[in-house]
Amino acid sequence: MTQATPTATAGSPTRDRLLDAAAELFYREGVGVGVEALCRVAGVSKRSMYQLFDSKDGVLAASLERSAPAYLAFLLPPDDDRAPRDRVLYVFERLEEMAARPDYRGCPFVAVSAELKAPDHPASLVARRGKDELTAFFRREAERGGAGDPELLARQLTVAFDGSGVRAVMQGQGLDGLALATAAALLTGAGMDGADGSDSGARREPETSG
């Protein structure tokens, strides 16, 4: 990943402003946003940008890395005593909530990787690490829930998550419970029915705030 120059501290206001603008622009308009537009929105000169990063690719990678923790924190449940099945379904409830918003453009990790079409691009590597964190969460919960093949289930849930997000973007509409029901079916098929055998997660209405 592109590194900042020694003159640029990681916590500088200019850097933060640039990365905040980049995260919003790249997500909303795509990675093809030009340097001039990026700097204009951020209120940063091109000279300042190139003092911080040696290319737009570096800005893209750093902005994705900076925004990834907040995105994952929104998706993943807090540490609590919820059953593994319910913890997994929590992620899909958050997906349903996001997909219902008019400004939803899909998973940022998937969006960046699909546009770049370059697995070795610095931003693609950041995106892969973020997606691997989500898969690792699914695998941990699958192990705790007694799934027969936690690794397989984790990959299946990741595919369901990514595919659901892509469908929402392509159709231009929310998922109406489809992602949640798909995840519930995968969990049931893997033997993670929940302590009481109920399937309340598949029937629960997703939140649709904001």
Side-chain angles (χ1 to χ4, degrees), residues 111-181:
V112 164
S113 298
E115 281 198 80
L116 291 172
K117 299 179 178 64
D120 58 346
H121 188 285
S124 295
L125 298 176
V126 173
R128 195 178 310 149
R129 288 198 298 270
K131 186 59 65 176
D132 287 347
E133 284 192 47
L134 179 61
T135 304
F137 165 80
F138 288 147
R139 185 172 58 250
R140 288 192 300 272
E141 297 305 323
E143 290 171 349
R144 291 181 58 237
D149 190 339
E151 179 67 29
L152 175 61
L153 178 58
R155 295 200 306 269
Q156 290 172 330
L157 289 166
T158 304
V159 169
F161 182 96
D162 292 344
S164 296
V166 170
R167 176 181 172 80
V169 173
M170 291 183 68
Q171 298 296 325
Q173 60 186 32
L175 294 163
D176 297 325
L178 178 62
L180 194 57

Side-chain angles (χ1 to χ4, degrees), residues 17-195:
R17 194 162 65 248
L18 178 64
L19 295 183
D20 285 344
E24 179 180 349
L25 277 176
F26 290 140
Y27 183 71
R28 186 179 70 234
E29 300 182 17
V31 300
V33 171
V35 170
E36 289 189 5
L38 172 59
C39 291
R40 183 172 62 253
V41 171
V44 173
S45 69
K46 290 172 67 174
R47 178 181 178 181
S48 294
M49 192 203 89
Y50 285 118
Q51 286 177 334
L52 289 162
F53 300 95
D54 60 15
S55 68
K56 191 187 82 172
D57 288 345
V59 179
L60 174 59
S63 67
L64 187 61
E65 187 165 53
R66 187 168 186 261
S67 61
Y71 174 66
L72 290 169
F74 173 79
L75 284 179
L76 303 182
D79 291 331
D80 53 27
D81 58 357
R82 240 176 295 211
R85 176 188 175 89
D86 292 335
R87 290 176 61 79
V88 170
L89 291 178
Y90 179 99
V91 175
F92 286 86
E93 289 170 348
R94 301 287 77 74
L95 172 59
E96 296 268 0
E97 178 183 339
M98 289 188 297
R101 298 172 179 171
D103 60 349
Y104 182 65
R105 299 293 183 270
C107 170
F109 303 140
V110 173
V112 164
S113 298
E115 281 198 80
L116 291 172
K117 299 179 178 64
D120 58 346
H121 188 285
S124 295
L125 298 176
V126 173
R128 195 178 310 149
R129 288 198 298 270
K131 186 59 65 176
D132 287 347
E133 284 192 47
L134 179 61
T135 304
F137 165 80
F138 288 147
R139 185 172 58 250
R140 288 192 300 272
E141 297 305 323
E143 290 171 349
R144 291 181 58 237
D149 190 339
E151 179 67 29
L152 175 61
L153 178 58
R155 295 200 306 269
Q156 290 172 330
L157 289 166
T158 304
V159 169
F161 182 96
D162 292 344
S164 296
V166 170
R167 176 181 172 80
V169 173
M170 291 183 68
Q171 298 296 325
Q173 60 186 32
L175 294 163
D176 297 325
L178 178 62
L180 194 57
T182 300
L186 286 171
L187 292 167
T188 298
M192 290 177 62
D193 283 327

Side-chain angles (χ1 to χ4, degrees), residues 4-16 52:
T5 64
T7 59
T9 59
S12 72
T14 299
R15 185 180 191 274
D16 291 345
L52 289 162

Side-chain angles (χ1 to χ4, degrees), residues 190-206:
M192 290 177 62
D193 283 327
D196 60 358
S198 68
D199 201 23
S200 59
R203 297 193 301 268
R204 185 160 53 246
E205 291 294 327

